[in-house]
Amino acid sequence: MLKIGSHVSMSGGLLGAAKEAYSYGANTFMIYTGAPQNTKRSPMEKLKVKEGQAFMKAYGLDDIVIHAPYIINLASCKEDTYQLARDFLKLEIERTTEMGSNYLVLHPGSFTTETLEYGTQRIIDGLNEVITEDTKPFICLETMAGKGSEIGRNFEELKAIIDGVKYSDKIGVCFDTCHIHDSGYDIINNFDEVIAEFDRIIGLDKLKVFHINGSLNVRGARKDRHANLGAGEDNPKGKDHIGRETLYKIVHHPAVQGRPFILETPWLDKKTNLYKEEIAYLRGDDSEL
């Protein structure tokens, strides 16, 4: 069975998140355990975890994904930023475990004023301080678009991090279609070759999660701007340069089945998203989108 869902709000705790996901016709979903831009976190006892897990079991939602906050930058040369990143990542691993998720998606980090080699080693050192043999969720390094000095713009950069982590069996990868496209990989015409290259360099066993997004940019733009699936020029958020047909083929590709596929496509306005329609399309209901 296809595992398909979207990012949902945690404003109502895990129970609210599960109910929102179910309303979209999803059977999995992704959440942040708090705001992605800051360190403010509600105590776990206020997040209705047991109630949410009971709802998920009753309505067939599972294999959920947690996303680490954006403010974690393990590649930073600033010691206070680096210390916050390590401490906060450790906390997020604990919260992910309590939520019952097997995946914590992490942006690797940006080296800012230093070098790629410096930033890569900082990430390795930070992960080695935080990850132990008892760590339960996979820390899933996300493929990045390559804007600025962010690390993870190609498979080789992710491989360099994985190879340096002591407990590398605890490391996975989150494959973001918008980021991969924007970084220069041709997933439109050559997804077979792209996924074969991933397997050669990193290994398909490390591929744990997909983010399914269109892109507002042409391939190789290195800008990271998500688009709704197959959106045209009349879409208020802009045109998708990947195309819904490509994303459908990726979701149904035999080499990548069994992973959670998570939509992070834009909301059209503060109250309107296309998650229900996009999920139905990816499942194979041609009446949608």
Side-chain angles (χ1 to χ4, degrees):
M1 178 185 293
L2 185 67
K3 298 178 183 178
I4 183 74
S6 68
H7 167 234
V8 294
S9 172
M10 270 289 283
S11 60
L14 186 60
L15 178 60
K19 287 182 175 180
E20 181 184 346
Y22 183 72
S23 75
Y24 300 145
N27 55 8
T28 189
F29 57 88
M30 184 178 77
I31 52 175
Y32 295 84
T33 75
Q37 300 91 354
N38 62 50
T39 60
K40 186 177 180 180
R41 291 292 180 270
S42 296
M44 291 297 294
E45 56 267 23
K46 292 186 177 182
L47 296 183
K48 301 180 181 178
V49 174
K50 290 184 178 179
E51 297 93 327
Q53 290 171 342
F55 183 93
M56 289 163 56
K57 184 176 180 180
Y59 290 94
L61 295 104
D62 63 6
D63 218 20
I64 66 170
V65 179
I66 311 296
H67 201 305
Y70 305 137
I71 59 172
I72 292 178
N73 183 11
L74 287 173
S76 178
C77 60
K78 297 180 179 179
E79 195 55 43
D80 56 344
T81 302
Y82 186 60
Q83 185 63 53
L84 180 147
R86 287 176 294 182
D87 293 345
F88 205 16
L89 179 57
K90 184 177 180 181
L91 174 64
E92 288 296 292
I93 290 173
E94 294 171 355
R95 290 167 71 86
T96 299
T97 302
E98 193 165 345
M99 287 281 186
S101 172
N102 294 317
Y103 319 104
L104 177 60
V105 174
L106 175 70
H107 290 187
S110 297
F111 56 83
T112 60
T113 59
E114 291 292 338
T115 64
L116 171 63
E117 293 73 21
Y118 174 92
T120 299
Q121 190 58 54
R122 290 282 270 186
I123 295 168
I124 291 169
D125 292 344
L127 290 173
N128 278 331
E129 286 190 40
V130 171
I131 298 173
T132 72
E133 61 181 345
D134 297 321
T135 298
K136 292 184 178 180
F138 292 104
I139 311 305
C140 298
L141 304 174
E142 187 166 344
T143 58
M144 303 307 292
K147 67 181 186 297
S149 63
E150 64 186 13
I151 301 173
R153 60 188 171 181
N154 56 51
F155 302 150
E156 289 83 1
E157 290 183 4
L158 294 176
K159 174 65 169 174
I161 297 170
I162 295 169
D163 285 348
V165 176
K166 179 179 179 181
Y167 297 107
S168 60
D169 59 312
K170 311 290 185 179
I171 301 293
V173 173
C174 173
F175 189 112
D176 187 301
T177 56
C178 173
H179 297 175
I180 284 284
H181 167 84
D182 282 21
S183 72
Y185 288 95
D186 189 359
I187 60 173
I188 300 172
N189 302 300
N190 296 304
F191 184 71
D192 284 345
E193 288 80 359
V194 171
I195 207 66
E197 182 178 349
F198 183 98
D199 192 26
R200 286 194 303 272
I201 296 172
I202 297 178
L204 279 176
D205 61 310
K206 291 292 186 185
L207 183 51
K208 304 299 183 183
V209 177
F210 270 85
H211 284 169
I212 300 297
N213 301 299
S215 174
L216 294 177
N217 307 296
V218 297
R219 180 165 66 91
R222 296 188 176 184
K223 290 185 178 179
D224 183 14
R225 296 172 65 212
H226 296 190
N228 295 104
L229 274 56
E233 298 288 358
D234 58 339
N235 184 280
K237 298 298 184 178
K239 179 182 177 180
D240 173 21
H241 286 270
I242 296 177
R244 66 175 188 163
E245 295 83 3
T246 292
L247 297 170
Y248 181 92
K249 290 177 182 177
I250 289 173
V251 165
H252 292 275
H253 195 285
V256 300
Q257 295 309 295
R259 283 85 172 174
F261 294 94
I262 304 294
L263 289 157
E264 297 177 306
T265 49
W267 283 54
L268 302 183
D269 54 48
K270 291 183 178 180
K271 295 183 178 180
T272 309
N273 63 56
L274 294 176
Y275 290 151
K276 186 174 183 178
E277 294 82 359
E278 290 171 333
I279 287 170
Y281 170 76
L282 291 174
R283 279 222 171 91
D285 182 355
D286 290 334
S287 67
E288 301 292 348
L289 289 181

